[in-house]
């Protein structure tokens, strides 16, 4: 395929977070297989955009044809997301659901995301399956094409408090993930690569 670019996005914004470590774990697995298919991977950290709860005077769907964002944080997030042909969202699950910061960042935009492919990798005490399903529903409803394979990474019990309270991911958890989830993470990348081959047209839009 012609060269494509994918953003690998750390979607956690908590002060104590393992999100960047999870993102690096995922990147090590997917970077080479995607590169062999002509897909470059760039890490993006949501926390650097410092997005408040949505505070624009216009709806995201109006941008850019009928309105423009007022605030620099919105313009910066919009420009970053618009750069890429596809996305891998690395999302946390808190209290059996999608994190507020994750949903807020998704909801900041529409046309920058719409029609493009996305993969979801979730993590948490129970792996984040509920958050993954919620984000899949939101992205699909917004017109993104979501990869069928969605890895869910759970913490080893001895590592839970270090991960949740201190932002430290234990070696036991990392070794278990490598043994148990490497193939599924690679499959998610393959799914995304296949979706990137498909043109962003009405025919390839998600079916309700």
């Amino acid at each position: 395929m012609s060269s494509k670019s994918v953003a690998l996005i750390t979607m956690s914004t908590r002060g104590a977070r393992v999100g960047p470590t999870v993102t690096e774990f995922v990147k090590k697995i997917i970077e080479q297989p995607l590169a062999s298919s002509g897909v470059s991977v760039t890490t993006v950290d949501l926390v650097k955009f410092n997005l408040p709860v949505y505070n624009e005077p216009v709806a995201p769907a109006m941008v850019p044809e009928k309105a423009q964002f007022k605030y620099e944080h919105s313009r910066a997030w919009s420009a970053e997301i618009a750069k890429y042909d596809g996305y891998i969202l690395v999302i946390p699950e808190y209290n059996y659901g999608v994190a507020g910061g994750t949903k807020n960042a998704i909801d900041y935009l529409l046309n920058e995301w719409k029609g493009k492919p996305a993969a979801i990798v979730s993590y948490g005490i129970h792996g984040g399956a509920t958050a993954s399903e919620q984000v899949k529903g939101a992205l699909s409803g917004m017109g993104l094409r979501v990869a069928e394979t969605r890895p869910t990474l759970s913490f080893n019990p001895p590592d839970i408090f270090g991960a949740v309270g201190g932002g430290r991911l234990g070696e036991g958890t990392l070794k278990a993930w490598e043994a148990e989830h490497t193939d599924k993470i690679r499959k998610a990348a393959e799914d995304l690569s296949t979706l990137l081959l498909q043109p962003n047209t009405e025919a390839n839009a998600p079916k309700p």
Side-chain angles (χ1 to χ4, degrees):
M1 71 165 78
S2 59
S3 179
K4 299 285 186 180
S5 63
V6 165
L8 176 62
I9 311 176
T10 302
M11 298 296 287
S12 171
T13 59
R14 283 188 174 180
R17 60 187 184 137
V18 295
T21 307
V22 181
T23 295
E24 283 305 310
F25 173 80
V26 172
K27 185 178 181 182
K28 287 177 183 177
I29 294 170
I30 66 167
E31 191 167 31
Q32 193 280 327
L34 285 177
S36 66
S37 298
V39 180
S40 63
V41 178
T42 301
T43 55
V44 175
D45 194 342
L46 173 60
V47 79
K48 294 180 179 179
F49 293 84
N50 198 28
L51 297 177
V53 173
Y54 190 81
N55 62 346
E56 287 285 345
V58 300
M62 298 174 68
V63 180
E65 289 190 4
K66 296 182 179 179
Q68 300 297 321
F69 287 126
K70 176 179 179 181
Y71 298 112
E72 178 56 31
H73 57 259
S74 309
R75 293 194 294 269
W77 181 234
S78 170
E80 186 66 26
I81 294 305
K83 287 180 189 176
Y84 302 101
D85 300 301
Y87 313 96
I88 301 171
L89 276 60
V90 180
I91 66 166
E93 178 174 287
Y94 302 143
N95 299 320
Y96 300 94
V98 61
T102 298
K103 188 63 166 64
N104 184 55
I106 291 169
D107 290 346
Y108 249 83
L109 310 173
L110 179 63
N111 293 308
E112 296 87 342
W113 300 112
K114 193 172 183 179
K116 296 178 183 177
I120 301 167
V121 179
S122 64
Y123 63 92
I125 294 174
H126 303 288
T130 301
S132 180
E133 189 65 26
Q134 290 169 340
V135 170
K136 178 190 178 233
L139 296 181
S140 297
M142 292 166 66
L144 284 86
R145 295 171 287 132
V146 180
E148 182 177 347
T149 305
R150 290 179 285 124
T152 56
L153 311 177
S154 56
F155 307 133
N156 276 12
D159 296 332
I160 287 174
F161 287 107
V164 174
R168 300 182 304 274
L169 201 54
E171 282 301 314
T173 292
L174 286 169
K175 287 179 180 177
W177 286 0
E178 187 172 3
E180 299 168 14
H181 296 287
T182 294
D183 288 347
K184 195 164 187 178
I185 292 169
R186 283 183 181 146
K187 181 62 169 61
E190 288 175 14
D191 291 352
L192 184 66
S193 184
T194 298
L195 290 171
L196 284 164
L197 282 170
Q198 301 172 359
N200 184 359
T201 62
E202 192 69 29
N204 290 320
K207 303 300 187 290

